Amino acid sequence: MTYDPAGSLADALDNRFVAAPSDPAAHHRVQRLRALGLGTAPDPEFDELAAKIARMAGTPYAMVNFVLDTHQFFAGLYEASSTGAPALEAAQAAARGPVARTMDLEHGFCPHVVDIKHALVLDDVCAWPRFAGNPVVDEIGIRSYIGAPLVDSSGMVLGTVCAISSRQSTWGSPGVEMIKSMAAEAMELIARRERGGS
């Protein structure tokens, strides 16, 4: 008798992960983001919005994220001090240091929000087999996620606003309304810039 690890529990757990969805709009999204001057540099106004999202969601991390064709870019990023999220920060530091402004499309949950075009609330990521195998769960200890799409006037999804934590959350309907209102605030900022305002 020989041992064949192909049918092992580890393989079964790896197979539960749903990779980033196919994204036929990626090319057009990148063109739109370039036209808007977004998705290539950190933005202080988006950083402020990310801090507001983190406060409202009660999380140590929040982002204003533009989903490109090859990666995600956090134009707005908030990271709490080490006293706010010691477990997550320790895991992040061990894995690759502070949160970077870019992330692979296969990492995290924002590409799924772009795909489904509505808010996604994962109070406990591990309770959802399609999301529990995402690399951010093990690599940086993400346990909960809330995000909403950034939809422009043409109906194109440009990216997301989101918040993450190393602990389970109980956002419920109030959390959904909050993250949707933060997406609307981000889109108003983008629309104002497009109109030439400040």
Side-chain angles (χ1 to χ4, degrees):
M1 177 182 272
T2 60
Y3 171 66
D4 180 7
S8 69
L9 176 60
D11 287 337
L13 293 177
D14 288 342
N15 289 336
R16 69 186 175 179
F17 168 57
V18 176
S22 174
D23 189 358
H27 176 72
H28 296 294
R29 182 182 313 108
V30 170
Q31 288 181 323
R32 177 78 171 123
L33 288 169
R34 285 183 183 150
L36 292 168
L38 298 171
T40 59
D43 187 302
E45 287 186 294
F46 289 138
D47 283 343
E48 288 178 25
L49 183 60
K52 182 177 179 180
I53 294 166
R55 280 193 307 275
M56 294 180 75
T59 63
Y61 293 91
M63 295 90 171
V64 178
N65 182 13
F66 296 112
V67 178
L68 305 167
D69 53 346
T70 59
H71 63 282
Q72 304 171 69
F73 183 78
F74 305 136
L77 175 63
Y78 174 80
E79 298 180 70
S81 67
S82 59
T83 57
L88 182 60
E89 288 181 352
Q92 183 84 37
R96 56 180 179 223
V99 173
R101 290 277 179 169
T102 62
M103 182 176 280
D104 291 341
L105 292 172
E106 301 294 329
H107 287 62
F109 312 104
C110 290
H112 296 278
V113 172
V114 170
D115 180 53
I116 62 176
K117 298 178 177 64
H118 62 77
L120 176 64
V121 180
L122 303 171
D123 286 329
D124 181 0
V125 171
C126 295
W128 298 86
R130 71 175 300 192
F131 298 118
N134 193 286
V136 298
V137 175
D138 292 330
E139 290 178 15
I140 56 176
I142 301 304
R143 190 63 185 267
S144 59
Y145 169 93
I146 187 168
L150 298 173
V151 184
D152 74 4
S153 58
S154 73
M156 178 176 289
V157 180
L158 304 176
T160 70
V161 292
C162 69
I164 57 174
S165 179
S166 60
R167 298 186 176 123
Q168 292 182 38
S169 298
T170 55
W171 288 302
S173 295
V176 172
E177 293 310 310
M178 177 279 297
I179 202 68
K180 288 166 68 176
S181 73
M182 293 295 95
E185 194 168 319
M187 286 312 304
E188 178 52 37
L189 176 59
I190 292 168
R192 192 169 68 238
R193 291 180 182 185
E194 190 175 18
R195 292 189 301 264
S198 57

